């Protein structure tokens, strides 16, 4: 975990703070689809029902919010899974391949077995807008291949490192059968190990249909999760995976989803 944290923190995640404007305007001009739009379009097309990994949740009626975790699995992920199981909360995990999926395969299997959505955060956290088409394809394909071998199904969602994406990334993601998922809430947990501060930042930004970005590779994050869950439940939120948030719509390959 320390190696991963050192590798991601200096350039990748520090510049992600500067790229936080992505949640409003994007690091580049990116067309995004809100969860409410995905639900409305599906309803208009006559779709019915919603996935029910943790009981039937209809986010057209319920006040839904999605917990997502990037850059794992790590040595902290087992404790996180214990917390989510105890609280009966599903999450979406955007996993890194190199030094993560290949180091903790049993945690990837456990995530899937316990009803969480297993997705990709690329193989080696390369910035997709800065590399060749062949490299983009490898960054997307390798973790999907590894995840499919472990859990028997291929991811349909990915999160581009730093949220940096463009039309070329969309095209290749579509060819690989992947939709991109961004976020609306960030604790910037790569800048602090203060669990109370991480909790406060999430609660200050939370809203209906929100997608919360956290990283279970950092020591302050997992201890903050119980307080985040309890406080948001008290506010009437229902926790769902990203696919449940979009239901009865489904994530379409090549599209970018963001509240």
């Amino acid at each position: 975990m320390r190696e991963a944290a050192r590798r991601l923190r200096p350039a990748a995640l520090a510049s992600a703070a500067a790229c936080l404007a992505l949640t409003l305007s994007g690091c580049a001009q990116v067309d995004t689809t809100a969860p409410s739009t995905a639900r409305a379009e599906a309803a208009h097309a006559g779709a019915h029902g919603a996935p029910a990994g943790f009981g039937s949740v209809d986010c057209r009626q319920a006040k839904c919010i999605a917990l997502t975790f990037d850059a794992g699995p790590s040595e902290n992920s087992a404790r996180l899974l214990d917390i989510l199981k105890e609280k009966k909360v599903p999450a979406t995990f955007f996993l890194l391949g190199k030094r993560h999926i290949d180091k903790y395969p049993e945690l990837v299997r456990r995530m899937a077995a316990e009803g969480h959505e297993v997705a990709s955060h690329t193989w080696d956290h390369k910035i997709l807008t800065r590399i060749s088409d062949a490299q983009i394809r490898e960054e997307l394909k390798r973790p999907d291949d590894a995840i499919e071998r472990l859990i028997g199904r291929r991811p349909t969602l990915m999160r581009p490192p730093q949220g940096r994406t463009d039309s070329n990334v969309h095209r290749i993601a579509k060819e690989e059968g992947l939709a991109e998922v961004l976020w609306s809430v960030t604790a910037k947990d790569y800048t602090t190990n203060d669990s109370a501060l991480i909790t406060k930042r999430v609660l200050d930004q939370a809203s209906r249909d929100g997608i919360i970005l956290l990283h279970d590779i950092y020591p302050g994050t997992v201890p903050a999760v119980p307080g985040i869950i309890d406080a948001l439940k008290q506010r009437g939120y229902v926790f769902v995976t990203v696919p449940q948030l979009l239901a009865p719509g489904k994530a379409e390959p090549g599209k970018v989803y963001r509240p």
Side-chain angles (χ1 to χ4, degrees), residues 66-70 90-94 116-119 157 240-243:
L67 269 178
T68 72
F69 296 91
D70 281 13
T92 302
F93 288 91
F94 292 94
H116 304 290
E117 185 71 17
V118 180
L157 306 176
V240 294
T241 63
V242 170

Side-chain angles (χ1 to χ4, degrees), residues 35-245:
S36 58
T37 301
R39 296 193 299 263
E41 288 175 348
H44 182 71
H48 299 286
F54 280 73
S56 183
V57 178
D58 186 344
C59 294
R60 294 169 296 185
Q61 306 297 327
K63 185 179 174 184
C64 292
I65 198 163
L67 269 178
T68 72
F69 296 91
D70 281 13
S74 77
E75 62 193 32
N76 304 314
S77 300
R79 175 58 185 147
L80 173 59
L81 288 169
D82 289 344
I83 292 167
L84 296 174
K85 187 174 184 178
E86 177 188 350
K87 301 287 187 182
K88 295 182 172 60
V89 164
T92 302
F93 288 91
F94 292 94
L95 304 181
L96 274 176
K98 190 175 182 181
R99 293 185 288 274
H100 295 272
I101 293 172
D102 59 357
K103 186 174 181 180
Y104 300 100
E106 72 286 353
L107 290 176
V108 179
R109 294 190 188 99
R110 182 180 168 190
M111 289 168 182
E114 295 184 359
H116 304 290
E117 185 71 17
V118 180
S120 167
H121 195 40
T122 72
W123 184 255
D124 198 24
H125 209 265
K126 291 184 173 70
I127 305 305
L128 300 180
T129 54
R130 298 177 182 169
I131 58 179
S132 70
D133 287 8
Q135 289 174 308
I136 294 171
R137 200 173 302 280
E138 182 179 26
E139 282 291 296
L140 300 183
K141 189 174 185 301
R142 286 187 70 183
D144 286 2
D145 288 346
I147 290 168
E148 186 175 25
R149 283 195 297 269
L150 290 171
I151 69 172
R153 61 181 183 272
R154 202 166 184 82
T156 59
L157 306 176
M158 77 93 165
R159 176 167 284 157
Q162 296 184 18
R164 292 183 180 272
T165 187
D166 58 20
S167 59
N168 194 49
V169 175
H170 308 336
R171 175 181 60 80
I172 296 172
K174 183 175 183 178
E175 291 168 2
E176 294 297 324
L178 292 165
E180 299 170 63
V181 179
L182 304 182
W183 60 89
S184 59
V185 178
T186 177
K188 300 183 183 179
D189 51 354
Y190 46 85
T191 67
T192 181
N193 290 331
D194 185 338
S195 298
L197 179 58
I198 291 169
T199 301
K200 181 180 185 301
R201 286 173 173 173
V202 170
L203 298 181
D204 285 350
Q205 298 171 62
S207 61
R208 184 172 184 175
D209 285 348
I211 298 177
I212 300 168
L213 167 62
L214 293 168
H215 301 78
D216 51 327
I217 61 173
Y218 298 123
T221 300
V222 172
V225 170
I228 290 169
I229 290 172
D230 290 346
L232 290 176
K233 281 185 174 180
Q234 287 175 359
R235 295 183 186 180
Y237 286 98
V238 177
F239 288 92
V240 294
T241 63
V242 170
Q244 287 173 321
L245 189 65

